[in-house]
Amino acid sequence: LSVRGVVVDAQDRPVAGVTVSARETTASKDPRASVSYGGSTATEVDGIFEIPALVAGTYELSCYGQVVPPAE
């Protein structure tokens, strides 16, 4: 399985070079213990990303990095 998408800014423009992370957490019977699966990747010039080789589950996505305004 994989997660794919496009990162855009507030003006709906693609954002290049930010890191997108996927994290899935499966809690055990002990609430202090968990096992996490996931991955991360950087967005392409057109804001597209893909995180491959994920196990089936529910994931939380996060993005981080510096957004550079497009050249005019």
Side-chain angles (χ1 to χ4, degrees):
L1 297 174
S2 64
V3 174
R4 290 180 269 208
V6 179
V7 176
V8 296
D9 65 13
Q11 286 75 42
D12 206 30
R13 295 179 299 213
V15 179
V18 298
T19 300
V20 180
S21 297
R23 182 171 180 264
E24 186 259 347
T25 302
T26 305
S28 72
K29 292 182 180 181
D30 181 345
R32 296 170 293 173
S34 66
V35 177
S36 295
Y37 302 95
S40 63
T41 191
T43 57
E44 300 292 334
V45 173
D46 53 6
I48 293 174
F49 69 91
E50 181 174 9
I51 303 171
L54 298 173
V55 298
T58 302
Y59 288 83
E60 178 180 291
L61 298 179
S62 59
C63 297
Y64 58 91
Q66 184 174 355
V67 176
V68 178
E72 298 200 20

